Amino acid sequence: MIPIRNRKKTLKVTVEEMRNFAFAYIEKYAPSKQQLKTYLLKKYLKTSTENIKKKDINNLIDIVLSDLIKNKFINDKFYSESKAKSMIQRGNSINKIRNYLIGKGIENDFIKETINKIKDDNSDQDFFSALKICKKKE
């Protein structure tokens, strides 16, 4: 059996490797779609092969991501809600939650939905956040 690194990589081997990288990362971190895409791109750049173009790699990453979304391994709506919930428990403001989600590449629709849900459930989230900060300063 020939080790993978010594033989020329085909597109099929690369897709399989990307899936394996993706599953390992999802298992460990539960990322957003954008985080996983960035991770896979960085991972590929480390193990770069000369016979495959970057455009092809982006296409492969998109294929892997769409497959993971279809099979519900990645769900940005769930990610948005769960991160917001944990940030609320830590006393973060709505603006901080919104900016965090934007930074993670979550779609605006999911962010708006999550923020509206926070406002419905916890009408004074910013007030509670301010109280928590004041208590920390004492």
Side-chain angles (χ1 to χ4, degrees):
M1 188 165 144
I2 302 170
I4 290 177
R5 65 180 169 202
N6 290 340
R7 68 178 170 187
K8 286 191 176 182
K9 290 186 178 183
T10 63
L11 230 46
K12 186 173 191 252
V13 172
T14 308
V15 168
E16 205 53 46
E17 285 177 355
M18 250 187 232
R19 274 203 184 101
N20 292 338
F21 289 147
F23 283 132
Y25 193 74
I26 289 170
E27 190 176 299
K28 193 171 182 181
Y29 296 109
S32 69
K33 178 182 168 186
Q34 186 60 44
Q35 284 176 297
L36 183 59
K37 187 172 187 169
T38 303
Y39 169 77
L40 290 174
L41 203 53
K42 285 179 181 178
K43 192 77 172 170
Y44 166 73
L45 291 175
K46 282 183 184 177
T47 61
S48 176
T49 55
E50 296 164 13
N51 60 342
I52 299 175
K53 298 175 186 160
K54 286 184 182 179
K55 182 182 169 194
D56 293 336
I57 290 303
N58 274 331
N59 292 340
L60 291 176
I61 290 173
D62 289 340
I63 289 168
V64 170
L65 288 176
S66 65
D67 188 41
L68 293 172
I69 290 169
K70 187 175 72 177
N71 292 316
K72 298 187 175 140
F73 283 103
I74 298 176
N75 185 339
D76 277 356
K77 181 178 180 183
F78 175 76
Y79 178 88
S80 174
E81 290 172 0
S82 65
K83 286 295 180 184
K85 193 174 192 178
S86 71
M87 290 179 82
I88 286 169
Q89 290 172 345
R90 283 185 261 143
N92 295 117
S93 68
I94 290 175
N95 277 339
K96 185 167 185 173
I97 294 169
R98 180 184 294 117
N99 290 332
Y100 176 84
L101 294 174
I102 289 170
K104 294 299 178 183
I106 304 297
E107 292 177 26
N108 278 336
D109 295 340
F110 294 143
I111 293 173
K112 286 179 186 174
E113 195 175 311
T114 301
I115 297 301
N116 289 337
K117 196 172 188 180
I118 291 170
K119 288 179 179 176
D120 291 345
D121 294 346
N122 310 319
S123 58
D124 293 331
Q125 180 59 33
D126 287 333
F127 177 72
F128 292 125
S129 176
L131 282 178
K132 204 158 196 170
I133 289 171
C134 290
K135 285 182 181 177
K136 285 180 185 177
K137 300 231 178 199
E138 288 180 355

